[in-house]
Amino acid sequence: MRQFWERGYRATSVDDLVRATGVKPGSLYSAFPGGKHALLMGSLERYSKLVVPQKLGELEEPGASVAQVRAYFDGLVRDLLSPEGRQGCLLVNSAIENAAADPAGALLHRRAAHRDPAR
């Protein structure tokens, strides 16, 4: 996930993924049928389940208060001041890079945007 977040899908090579995972190339394809694309899809799923809810925090609760909205935006500003935060959102970055040419990725992005895994 971090490799795609840092470099993007196209700039991430299989060698990069081998180094990041510690899995040998042949084993990488066995562990992730579908190769690099399947690994990206898994990374996006993981990001949407782990990172997105953490970032949204209390805004996911019905009736979020002004203080909760303010805290969300304060958190965004803090993120943008950190090296990882300046990388942006993996889902948004991936959508910009791939969604037009990748129907599976576009569907995953729509699901994450609506926070509804059944869509």
Side-chain angles (χ1 to χ4, degrees):
M1 180 179 80
R2 290 194 183 279
Q3 194 67 36
F4 290 123
W5 199 353
E6 290 172 10
R7 303 199 61 204
Y9 178 72
R10 290 187 196 114
T12 298
S13 70
V14 172
D15 287 339
D16 293 331
L17 296 172
V18 165
R19 279 191 298 279
T21 61
V23 176
K24 295 184 184 202
S27 299
L28 185 69
Y29 286 106
S30 294
F32 300 99
K36 180 178 162 182
H37 184 262
L39 195 52
L40 173 66
M41 293 295 102
S43 295
L44 293 173
E45 288 281 352
R46 182 175 177 84
Y47 181 89
S48 68
K49 289 178 182 163
L50 296 178
V51 177
V52 172
Q54 175 190 18
K55 297 296 180 188
L56 288 177
E58 295 174 336
L59 285 186
E60 296 227 290
E61 298 172 11
S65 70
V66 171
Q68 290 168 319
V69 172
R70 180 173 288 130
Y72 169 75
F73 284 105
D74 288 345
L76 285 180
V77 170
R78 275 192 309 278
D79 281 350
L80 291 171
L81 296 174
S82 74
E84 185 176 86
R86 283 190 292 269
Q87 290 175 191
C89 171
L90 176 62
L91 287 167
V92 171
N93 295 348
S94 180
I96 290 167
E97 181 181 16
N98 302 314
D102 181 0
L107 176 62
L108 193 136
H109 289 99
R110 282 194 301 276
R111 286 179 180 166
H114 294 287
R115 305 284 298 137
D116 181 358
R119 283 186 149 192

